[in-house]
Amino acid sequence: MKSTINGTTLFYEVAGNPALMPVVFVHGFPFSCEMWSGQVTAVEHQYCALTYDVRGHGQSNVGDGQYTIELFVDDLIALIDDLKMERVVLVGLSMGGYIALRALERNPERVGAAVLCDTRSEADSNEVKLKRAAGIASVKKHGAATFAEQFVKGVFAAWTFEHKPELVDRIRRVIARMSPVAIAGTLLALAARTDTTESLSRIKVPAMILVGEQDAITPIDAARAMHQRIPKSELHIVPGAAHMSNLENPDVFNEKLLLFLRRVSGT
Ligand code: MLT
């Protein structure tokens, strides 16, 4: 459904019993909440699963395209406020992880546990900032379909391209449907995000870090570095996956997710 949240229209879905522990899934860039469908199916019988489209993505409003990670965190907190969810388990992949890490820093009282997937705490290097600038120029000139074509090449493992072409196609279509203004605006937000490394040692809640063994965007070293700093954290490497670990190897991803949720909910 769609609701006015923090001055914009956000699309979201709630599955499962609202009385049970809320698990909020935050997708990566430039995807949509549809990427979590396999995880929602896995958890909805035991928990309350909230998925939503980050501003500018999927069915949420694009607005002026002037985004920051700070604004995305404002949206997330406003959404869980609206749904009367006091303390949630945050599951964020890549950009979703950047949003989760900043929420943990800024609104720790709202996060009971976190699952940080294919993400990192460091801000962009100069090299990555320049790549973002090139991406902005390219999407403005050539449009979202061309951007999608290039983008999927970097996020899936070779095995996925060969054996799950329909999955690559599905994500390609999600990206191609995005507004170029939203893609450019989110690239700027990613480039401008703060570094959350220093606050990792202050995370008091249980955290699980998942990373695809072939993730080239947020590699295993970045995941290990977070694991070393977050006191109550565990790290799992997802075999046969690159950056889209929940989609490329949902069996291992869901098994780890369910075990973690069982532990933090005490069920
Ligand atoms: C994502 O999957 O959210 C993006 O690849 C993150 C990034 O480019 O840093």
Side-chain angles (χ1 to χ4, degrees):
M1 66 178 287
K2 287 186 180 182
S3 255
T4 303
I5 304 289
N6 196 29
T8 193
T9 305
L10 294 187
F11 173 81
Y12 68 89
E13 286 180 321
V14 179
N17 182 343
L20 297 176
M21 184 176 80
V23 183
V24 182
F25 292 89
V26 192
H27 64 76
F29 163 82
F31 315 123
S32 74
C33 65
E34 197 212 299
M35 68 167 278
W36 294 118
S37 58
Q39 284 63 53
V40 171
T41 307
V43 309
E44 67 184 339
H45 299 295
Q46 298 162 70
Y47 308 101
C48 176
L50 166 64
T51 54
Y52 73 102
D53 288 338
V54 172
R55 190 187 282 246
H57 296 68
Q59 298 178 63
S60 287
N61 201 25
V62 173
D64 59 10
Q66 310 234 330
Y67 311 142
T68 56
I69 294 297
E70 210 60 15
L71 179 64
F72 292 157
V73 176
D74 291 342
D75 290 347
L76 166 67
I77 299 298
L79 178 61
I80 62 173
D81 275 349
D82 199 66
L83 294 170
K84 314 259 180 295
M85 293 177 171
E86 260 178 40
R87 210 164 144 82
V88 304
V89 178
L90 269 185
V91 183
L93 185 134
S94 198
M95 176 182 75
Y98 308 154
I99 295 171
L101 284 166
R102 180 61 187 137
L104 274 159
E105 198 172 56
R106 218 185 77 177
N107 304 84
E109 73 291 349
R110 306 303 296 274
V111 189
V115 182
L116 303 166
C117 327
D118 300 282
T119 194
R120 68 190 325 153
S121 60
E122 299 92 6
D124 279 2
S125 63
N126 282 350
E127 189 191 346
V128 175
K129 282 183 181 161
L130 292 174
K131 268 177 85 177
R132 308 259 193 230
I136 292 169
S138 162
V139 77
K140 284 165 88 172
K141 188 164 176 199
H142 305 293
T146 306
F147 185 85
E149 207 56 56
Q150 287 305 315
F151 199 88
V152 291
K153 288 186 192 151
V155 295
F156 288 109
W159 190 93
T160 309
F161 274 99
E162 206 180 317
H163 299 276
K164 295 186 176 175
E166 67 297 335
L167 173 59
V168 178
D169 239 30
R170 188 176 124 206
I171 294 301
R172 192 188 280 118
R173 282 198 302 272
V174 168
I175 304 173
R177 277 197 298 268
M178 257 185 88
S179 142
V181 167
I183 292 179
T186 311
L187 282 165
L188 270 178
L190 292 170
R193 75 185 190 277
T194 57
D195 190 311
T196 51
T197 308
E198 192 264 334
S199 65
L200 295 177
S201 60
R202 293 196 297 275
I203 296 177
K204 297 213 164 36
V205 296
M208 178 168 72
I209 299 160
L210 296 176
V211 61
E213 66 175 345
Q214 296 165 48
D215 190 339
I217 297 182
T218 47
I220 292 177
D221 281 356
R224 279 212 183 97
M226 287 194 294
H227 174 47
Q228 275 157 13
R229 285 169 185 263
I230 303 177
K232 285 197 250 170
S233 67
E234 56 188 88
L235 167 68
H236 303 284
I237 294 167
V238 182
H243 190 57
M244 308 296 281
S245 57
N246 70 312
L247 294 168
E248 297 184 273
N249 192 342
D251 291 347
V252 168
F253 189 100
N254 290 351
E255 182 199 322
K256 299 292 179 207
L257 178 62
L258 285 168
L259 281 172
F260 180 75
L261 293 177
R262 209 162 292 153
R263 250 194 325 275
V264 299
S265 67
T267 52

